[in-house]
Amino acid sequence: MDRILVTGLGVISALGDSVAGSLEMLRAGKSGISDAPALLGTSLKVPVGEVRMTNAELLGYLGLDVESVVSRTALLAASAAVQAVNDAGLDRELLSGGRAGLILGTSVGGMDLTEHFYREFSEDSCSGDLKEIGMHDCGASAEFVARHIGFKGFATTVSTACSSAGNAIMTGARMIRAGLIDAAIVGGSDALSCFTMNGFNSLRILSSRPCRPFDADRDGLNLGEGAGFLVLQREGTQRGDSYCSISGWANTNEAFHQTASSASGDGASLSMGEALRNAGLSPDDIDYINAHGTATPGNDLAEGTAVRRVFGGGTPFGSFKAYTGHTLGASEGIEAVFCALSLKYGELWSSAGFAVEDPEIGLRPLCGYHRNVALRHILSNSFGFGGNDTTLIFSAI
C-alpha cells in the first residue's frame, strides 16, 4: 500500500505568519499569547492568541483589494493554504483537475462579519451589507480558498467543533487511501469573534492568566485564532522531499455531554486505540503524544486518564495550547504542522505553562527543548464538543 505523504505545510497563528517563524518561536519557547485582544472589539480583557494582522493587512498579504468583503476565518485559511500549496509545489494542472481534494475544518466560519452586520442592522433594519452575511456559512471559507488558489476539484467543509481540522485531515487521507484522489489540501481555520469569546466565558472556562495545560493550578483556556494546512499526497506523485507520512487516524463520538468529556476518558481512549489499530501500531511505537491539552480542569483530567489507560505513564506528551491559545476548529491543522516539523527535524518543544504535577492526573508533560530526538511516530489528539474525538498518527519517512 502506498504511503500518504505530507508534502507541504502552511500556518498562521499567534506564533507568526509562516512555518519558519513559528518554528523559531517554538525553539525559543516563546508564547504568542497576549494579555488581551488588541484587534477584536470586546469588553473581555483576558489572554488570547491573536494573529497580529488586521483584515486589511491579511487582504494585502494575499494580494487582494483591501475593500474586499471576506471573513477573517477565510483570510486566515487562504494565508495558510497558499503556503502549503507553494511548499508542496502543486501545479495548476493538479489544482484544476479531478484528482485532488480540498477539505477545510472550521467552527466559527464567518461570524466576525455577521457580528459587524448585526451591529448596523440592529440599529436600522434597512442598513448593513448583505455581502457580509454571505460569508457566514462555514462552507463559504472553503469556497473562498478554492477560488483564491485556483482549485476546481472536490471541495468540502467539516464542522465538528474543536476536532474539525483533525476530521478534515482524516477525510483527505481516507480519500487518498480509497483511491478517489491523489492529493489533498487539508486543515482548519478559525478567527476570534465576540460570539466565541462570550460563549466560552459563559461556560466559565476562560482563564484570566496564560493557560497552563495539565498543571495542578490550571483554571481554564485561552482562546486563539489562526489556520494550519497540510498537503497530503499519495507516494509517487509528490515533487521533492516530504516531511513525514500520515499512517493512522480515528474518530469516535463519546456523546457524554454537550461540552464536557467523561472523567473516565472513554472517548479519548477509544479514539487513540482505534488510531493505533488503523496504523498497525502498538502503544510502545509512539514516541510522543500531542495532547489536546486545553488547560481546563475537566478536559485535561479526562485526557490524562485516557493517556494512562492506553500508554501507561512513560510516553512523552505535551500541549501546544499555551503557545497559540485554543484555536478551536483550526487547532489540529496548526498542531499537525508542528507534528510534521517535529518529525522532520527530530525536535520536541517544551509544553509551555506547566510547573506542578496534578496528582489526580499523575503525569508530567515534557518540558524543555529537545534536539536530535529519534522520532518514529507522533500521535496527535483533537477533541470537540459533544465528545467528537479525533486522533491522527504521523510517522517518520
Side-chain angles (χ1 to χ4, degrees), residues 31-329:
S31 171
I33 293 176
S34 58
D35 293 335
L39 302 177
L40 180 67
T42 174
S43 59
L44 285 174
K45 304 305 177 185
V46 294
V48 293
E50 196 170 36
V51 173
R52 293 168 179 81
M53 295 175 72
T54 65
N55 282 13
E57 289 171 331
L58 287 168
L59 284 164
Y61 178 80
L62 293 169
L64 299 173
D65 187 332
V66 294
E67 298 299 322
S68 302
V69 179
V70 185
S71 74
R72 188 168 177 84
T73 293
L75 291 172
L76 293 170
S79 299
V82 166
Q83 293 176 39
V85 166
N86 291 339
D87 189 29
L90 298 187
D91 57 32
R92 290 294 174 184
E93 182 179 354
L94 181 60
L95 292 175
S96 61
R99 295 296 299 173
L102 169 66
I103 303 105
L104 180 147
T106 184
S107 60
V108 174
M111 184 59 71
D112 63 314
L113 290 183
T114 303
E115 289 174 348
H116 185 267
F117 174 86
Y118 178 74
R119 281 191 290 272
E120 295 186 3
F121 181 79
S122 62
E123 295 177 0
D124 180 0
S125 61
C126 293
S127 66
D129 186 350
L130 289 175
K131 291 180 181 178
E132 294 180 329
I133 297 297
M135 290 295 300
H136 175 82
D137 186 82
C138 290
S141 295
E143 291 174 0
F144 173 78
V145 172
R147 288 196 303 272
H148 185 72
I149 66 174
F151 182 84
K152 298 180 181 178
F154 171 84
T156 193
T157 308
V158 176
S159 187
T160 54
C162 303
S163 60
S164 296
N167 285 327
I169 294 169
M170 181 180 70
T171 300
R174 290 180 65 192
M175 291 182 70
I176 292 174
R177 181 169 287 182
L180 298 173
I181 54 177
D182 294 322
I185 305 159
V186 291
S189 179
D190 261 333
L192 286 169
S193 69
C194 294
F195 173 81
T196 48
M197 291 286 289
N198 292 333
F200 277 82
N201 188 51
S202 71
L203 294 173
R204 300 181 180 180
I205 55 175
L206 290 182
S207 178
S208 60
R209 301 176 289 171
C211 67
R212 298 166 300 286
F214 297 101
D215 190 84
D217 191 38
R218 69 191 185 280
D219 63 353
L221 58 82
N222 305 142
L223 286 173
E225 64 179 358
F229 273 82
L230 307 116
V231 172
L232 308 179
Q233 290 186 262
R234 184 187 308 281
E235 187 173 22
T237 65
Q238 80 280 9
R239 293 181 175 180
D241 295 334
S242 301
Y243 292 90
C244 62
S245 69
I246 179 168
S247 56
W249 50 79
N251 171 264
T252 61
N253 201 320
E254 184 177 22
F256 172 77
H257 184 269
Q258 286 181 319
T259 59
S261 302
S262 64
S264 59
D266 290 343
S269 59
L270 181 61
S271 178
M272 289 187 284
E274 288 294 327
L276 287 168
R277 281 187 284 275
N278 181 262
L281 300 173
S282 70
D284 291 340
D285 292 319
I286 301 300
D287 299 306
Y288 184 75
I289 300 166
N290 170 45
H292 187 55
T294 61
T296 59
N299 285 358
D300 281 10
L301 174 59
E303 187 172 12
T305 300
V307 167
R308 280 193 284 108
R309 183 190 300 181
V310 177
F311 294 94
T315 305
F317 76 101
S319 170
F320 288 112
K321 298 297 190 295
Y323 289 100
T324 63
H326 187 1
T327 58
L328 305 182

